[in-house]
Amino acid sequence: MNKIEVKHISKTLDELPTLADISLTVGENEIVVVLGPSGCGKSTLLNIIAGLLHPDRGRIIIEGEDWTGKSTRVSYMQQKDLLLDWRSILDNVTIPLLLKGMPRKQARAYAANYFEDFGLQGFEDYYPRQLSGGMRQRAALLRTYLFASDILLLDEPFAALDAITRRKMQLWLLDLYQRYKSSILFVTHDIEEALLLADRIYILGSRPAVVRREILWDRGSSRYPEIRKEILEILEEESNGGYF
Ligand SMILES: Nc1ncnc2c1ncn2[C@@H]1O[C@H](COP(=O)(O)OP(=O)(O)O)[C@@H](O)[C@H]1O
Ligand SMILES: [Mg+2]
C-alpha cells in the first residue's frame, strides 16, 4: 500500500491558480523527490499534504485513510524551520515527544539515543545559535523524525547551506535513510540533489503547477548525464527559455 496518495489536488491562492490537478504517490521506504522551479508551488503542496492548508479540490490519502485538511499524521520540516533559541538542542528535539505526552525525563533519554547518528553528540546542552548551519538542520531533522518517523515531508532542508556542507548533508541523509528507512517526500529546486537522493522524481511545471513528468530513478545509474539533460530541458521550457 502507498504511504501517501495525493489525488487530483488543486489550489488557488490570491485568485492565482497555484496547483492544478496534482497527483502523486509515495511508497513505503521510498524517497520521492518533487522537483520544480522556485515559486512553482512546492511548499504549498507540502502544506496541503501536511494538512495545514485545505485544497480547493482533491484528497490526501495516508495509508488508505483520508487526511485531507487534517494535520499531525506526518512529520513536516518546513522551509523556514526555526529551532527555539531559548531551548537547548536536546530540549528542542524533545518537543514532539512532549506534545505526544511522553514525560520529560523519558523524552530526553529517548531523544538522546539519536544524537550520535544525527551528528549532534556532545551538543545536547548547546543552544541553536552556537551550532553551525548543518548541525542546526540535523537538529531540525531529528525533531521532525521524532514527531512521526515513518513519513517525513522535507521542504528544501539543505537549500540555505554552502555547497560543501549541503553535499555532506545529502550523503548523510542517504546513509541515515538506508539504515533507518522511512517514506520521504523531499522537495527541492536542485536537479543534482534530486538525482542524488530520489527513488522517483516528479517534475513540476509552474503557473499553475502540474506534474510534468514522473521519472523512475536508480541512484548511481550510469544514465545520470542523459536524465539530467532531459530534466534540465523540461525546467528550461518551464522558464520559457529566457534568462528570467
Ligand atoms: N499564503 C499565500 N497566499 C498567497 N499566495 C501565496 C501564499 N503562499 C505562497 N503564495 C504564492 O504561491 C506561489 C507558490 O509558492 P510556494 O508554494 O511557496 O512555491 P515554492 O515552494 O515552489 O517556491 C508563489 O507565487 C507564492 O508567491
Ligand atoms: Mg518553497
Side-chain angles (χ1 to χ4, degrees):
M1 194 205 291
N2 281 315
K3 295 294 266 190
I4 305 178
E5 284 176 62
V6 171
K7 293 185 147 178
H8 305 291
I9 292 292
S10 296
K11 182 73 182 175
T12 293
L13 291 174
D14 285 345
E15 293 171 24
L16 282 175
T18 305
L19 306 175
D21 198 25
I22 302 259
S23 293
L24 57 85
T25 59
V26 181
E28 192 153 8
N29 298 337
E30 183 182 39
I31 303 184
V32 171
V33 170
V34 169
L35 174 66
S38 294
C40 81
K42 303 183 296 297
S43 297
T44 305
L45 178 62
L46 284 194
N47 284 337
I48 291 174
I49 298 172
L52 303 180
L53 190 65
H54 253 285
D56 299 334
R57 276 190 299 284
R59 319 268 6 131
I60 301 300
I61 309 295
I62 297 170
E63 287 185 316
E65 266 183 63
D66 193 333
W67 279 85
T68 316
K70 292 188 280 182
S71 61
T72 75
R73 171 59 188 88
V74 300
S75 52
Y76 182 20
M77 181 166 163
Q78 289 180 266
Q79 206 164 353
K80 291 222 184 316
D81 195 79
L82 298 173
L83 297 168
L84 303 177
D85 279 333
W86 60 91
R87 293 179 81 128
S88 71
I89 296 305
L90 185 55
D91 287 331
N92 261 283
V93 305
T94 52
I95 292 169
L97 301 174
L98 301 178
L99 287 175
K100 284 193 264 186
M102 196 184 279
R104 186 161 181 268
K105 201 173 162 198
Q106 193 188 336
R108 288 170 65 93
Y110 183 82
N113 289 327
Y114 290 91
F115 269 61
E116 185 171 0
D117 279 350
F118 278 74
L120 295 165
Q121 205 170 30
F123 291 85
E124 290 81 352
D125 298 328
Y126 282 57
Y127 286 84
R129 64 175 178 280
Q130 299 174 294
L131 266 53
S132 68
M135 291 183 97
R136 288 175 65 110
Q137 290 306 86
R138 289 200 299 277
L141 264 161
L142 176 53
R143 189 176 63 181
T144 306
Y145 182 80
L146 292 176
F147 183 82
S149 58
D150 64 334
I151 306 179
L152 310 177
L153 310 178
L154 307 178
D155 193 356
E156 312 217 32
F158 309 141
L161 302 173
D162 66 85
I164 294 184
T165 307
R166 191 186 318 145
R167 182 80 182 170
K168 283 188 183 166
M169 291 285 287
Q170 291 162 344
L171 295 170
W172 165 78
L173 181 69
L174 206 49
D175 179 54
L176 195 73
Y177 162 76
Q178 275 150 357
R179 286 183 296 131
Y180 282 57
K181 296 299 181 189
S182 275
S183 300
I184 301 181
L185 184 58
F186 189 106
V187 157
T188 184
H189 63 267
D190 182 329
I191 301 183
E192 279 75 26
E193 184 165 73
L195 289 168
L196 183 73
L197 296 177
D199 294 300
R200 229 147 32 83
I201 303 172
Y202 290 95
I203 306 172
L204 296 189
S206 41
R207 290 182 215 91
V210 291
V211 173
R212 280 288 313 270
R213 185 78 63 86
E214 179 188 347
I215 293 177
L216 277 177
W217 180 237
D218 215 355
R219 278 189 285 273
S221 160
S222 58
R223 294 175 65 223
Y224 189 102
E226 175 193 334
I227 297 288
R228 185 182 179 282
K229 184 160 170 281
E230 192 181 321
I231 296 175
L232 200 54
E233 278 165 10
I234 297 172
L235 294 178
E236 277 169 358
E237 253 171 63
E238 284 305 318
S239 62
N240 299 320
Y243 288 110
F244 304 107

